[in-house]
Structure formats: structure tokens, C-alpha cells
């Protein structure tokens, strides 16, 4: 409860909060802040609240977040993603989860991301990879965004697989709004995850921590279509820096949304090219207790 309260008050990876937690227990930090012994650097959405209301609002928000399948995950929990750090090297104080599914083991899950302005080719390849991986028993993780990421989640669910959406905002926001029905379904049958507390809006400044969770959560990150400035490339680079696999689907050399994928393959020797789920399974250790669940394995060319 103390970590959830601190996670609701401050930005994930806040340097001041990180220093306090390095010297004091979370319950002691909450007491120090509530007695105004040290200043609270609040996240932007709650800066308007008077101090007299702050702690009641925090308690109510945490209680609401834990209803209906919601929970808070802290670094001491066994399913905390190993190696999770924000862009500044700081560790989020907690994660917010919603849905009946557990946080998947890193070795049993794969992240797939890509362009929001995806082509029909990219959507087809992404859906084929996701369905094939689901058939092999892998949990498929994506952001729930437009384009490739949404195609990945829909295909995983259609194949009867396990899907996780990582959101760049509070789990009460269901961003982007075009995917509210898809994300609501995941909240009922799968899992939504975020480093951001309830009420937090998606902002550019918060995307770095969001990408860090996508990269740290799984055994490897696959990019399907990305322009040279795509945020998806940052996600795969973060995965590589964590010692995870970085995989790229090559696209047509004439396609602007594949230019970033081709450039990554040319400039980073750690990256491998893949074209089907069979390639990915061969490059990553098989998930514990995994293996094909029957049906099409997705090993054929995409």
C-alpha cells in the first residue's frame, strides 16, 4: 500500500523519491511526506490538490485501482520484470495491473511492436507472427497502440493465446480510444500493465518508461515495420541493452515504414532478421512447459 501510494503521488523513477527509498522503508517515506518533513514532487495531474486532500485522494485512488481484478506489483514480488529500469536508470516504485492473467515469466513471453501508420503487409505479417507464437505457447506483449500493436493483440486473442497490453497511461484511461473495446476485453480476459498510476495521461515525457517496461517484460522484442524515427526502434534497442533478443522483420526497400527496420539490421550486429514464428521460436529459448498447443504452428513463410 505504501508503494502504491508513492506511485500515485510521483512520476515513475522520480529521482528524489528514489533517493528516499534508498535510505528508508516505503512506509517511512509515506510518513515523512505526509508530515511534510520532505517536499512531495507531485505528478502533473494532482499538483492542484491541496495538501489537506492529498492523502485521502491517494488512498481512494489506490483502493479503486485494486477493485475488479486490479492489483499493484512491487519489486519484491516474484513476477516483477527483471532488469526493469527507466531511461534515467531509476526503477519504478510499482506497476499497476488489471486483468485475471498473471504477469508472464520473461522467458515465456515476446514483445511485438511496430509502426502506427502500418501497411496492409505489415498488419498481415504482425498478425501471422502473433498467432504463430500463441500457438507455440508464448505470451504475446504489445502496447495496444494503433497499427502493428493493435493487430498483434487482436491476432493473439483470435488464436486463443495469452495477450498482454502495456499502456503509457493509467489503466483507467484505455488509450488509444480507438482500441477501448480491445483493451476492455483484455482487462476482462488477459492483462493490462502500466508504470503509470490511475488518472495519469499519456505524454511524450512518459513514453520512455513505457518503452522500458515493454523491453524488460519479455525474452525478446520484435519490430514489424518502423520508420527511421519510430519509437519502436527505441524499444528494441532497450531490449538489446538488457541482454534480451532483438529481432526485425525486413520489409520492402521501397517502403518508408520499413526503412527503420532495414537501417537497424545494417547498423546493429546484435539484431537478427526473422520472417515467421518458427524463426522466433528457434532464436529464443522455448517457454517453460510450452510447445505447440496444436493447429497451425506458424512455421511457414509469412
Amino acid at each position: 500500500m505504501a508503494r502504491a501510494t508513492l506511485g500515485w503521488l510521483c512520476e515513475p523513477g522520480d529521482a528524489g523519491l528514489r533517493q528516499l527509498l534508498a535510505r528508508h522503508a516505503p512506509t517511512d517515506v509515506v510518513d515523512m511526506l505526509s508530515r511534510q518533513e520532505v517536499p512531495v514532487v507531485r505528478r502533473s495531474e494532482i499538483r492542484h490538490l491541496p495538501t489537506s486532500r492529498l492523502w485521502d485522494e491517494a488512498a481512494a485512488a489506490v483502493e479503486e485501482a485494486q477493485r475488479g481484478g486490479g492489483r499493484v506489483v512491487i519489486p519484491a514480488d516474484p513476477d516483477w520484470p527483471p532488469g526493469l529500469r527507466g531511461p534515467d536508470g531509476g526503477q519504478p516504485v510499482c506497476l499497476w495491473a488489471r486483468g485475471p492473467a498473471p504477469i508472464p515469466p520473461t522467458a515465456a513471453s515476446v514483445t511485438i511492436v511496430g509502426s502506427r501508420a502500418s501497411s496492409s503487409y505489415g498488419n498481415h505479417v504482425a498478425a501471422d507472427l502473433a498467432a504463430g507464437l500463441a500457438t507455440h505457447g508464448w505470451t504475446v506483449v504489445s502496447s495496444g497502440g494503433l497499427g502493428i500493436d493493435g493487430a498483434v493483440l487482436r491476432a493473439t486473442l483470435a488464436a486463443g493465446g495469452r495477450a498482454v497490453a502495456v499502456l503509457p497511461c493509467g489503466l483507467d484511461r484505455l488509450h488509444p480510444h480507438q482500441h477501448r473495446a480491445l483493451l476492455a476485453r483484455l482487462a476482462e480476459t488477459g492483462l493490462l500493465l502500466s508504470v503509470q498510476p490511475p488518472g495519469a495521461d499519456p505524454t511524450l515525457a512518459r513514453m520512455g518508461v513505457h518503452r522500458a517496461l515493454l523491453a524488460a517484460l519479455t525474452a525478446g522484442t520484435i519490430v514489424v515495420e518502423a520508420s527511421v524515427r519510430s519509437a519502436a526502434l527505441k524499444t528494441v534497442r532497450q531490449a538489446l541493452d538488457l541482454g534480451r533478443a532483438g529481432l526485425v522483420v525486413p520489409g520492402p526497400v521501397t517502403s518508408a515504414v520499413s526503412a527503420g527496420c532495414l537501417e537497424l539490421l545494417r547498423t546493429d550486429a546484435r539484431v537478427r532478421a526473422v520472417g515467421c514464428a518458427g524463426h522466433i521460436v528457434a532464436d529464443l529459448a522455448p517457454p517453460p512447459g510450452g510447445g505447440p498447443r496444436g493447429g497451425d504452428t506458424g512455421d511457414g513463410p509469412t
Side-chain angles (χ1 to χ4, degrees), residues 35-54:
R35 293 196 297 265
Q36 301 183 53
E37 295 177 9
V38 291
V40 182
V41 180
R42 309 181 196 179
R43 57 186 176 86
S44 58
E45 289 88 355
I46 59 173
R47 287 175 187 162
H48 67 284
L49 288 176
T51 304
S52 59
R53 288 181 50 199
L54 191 62

Side-chain angles (χ1 to χ4, degrees), residues 111-264:
T111 296
I112 306 179
V113 292
S115 174
R116 288 179 294 178
S118 55
S119 68
S120 57
Y121 161 82
N123 290 337
H124 169 75
V125 171
D128 190 61
L129 292 179
L133 288 165
T135 301
H136 278 87
W138 292 84
T139 298
V140 179
V141 178
S142 197
S143 77
L146 301 176
I148 295 297
D149 299 28
V152 163
L153 294 176
R154 285 190 292 269
T156 303
L157 291 173
R162 297 180 292 270
V164 176
V166 177
L167 303 190
C169 53
L171 299 183
D172 55 342
R173 290 297 194 255
L174 296 187
H175 173 85
H177 67 86
Q178 296 94 325
H179 285 173
R180 282 178 182 169
L182 173 63
L183 297 173
R185 181 181 172 190
L186 276 172
E188 295 175 356
T189 63
L191 185 66
L192 303 180
L193 271 180
S194 182
V195 292
Q196 299 296 340
D201 296 316
T203 66
L204 287 176
R206 291 169 172 165
M207 292 304 294
V209 187
H210 166 69
R211 288 190 295 268
L213 178 54
L214 279 167
L217 196 60
T218 67
T221 296
I222 306 155
V223 179
V224 183
E225 290 196 327
S227 66
V228 291
R229 295 184 179 180
S230 173
L233 301 180
K234 297 180 182 178
T235 304
V236 75
R237 289 189 180 106
Q238 285 182 295
L240 289 164
D241 291 342
L242 287 170
R244 314 287 202 263
L247 308 172
V248 173
V249 175
V253 296
T254 55
S255 171
V257 289
S258 287
C261 295
L262 296 173
E263 183 66 16
L264 189 61

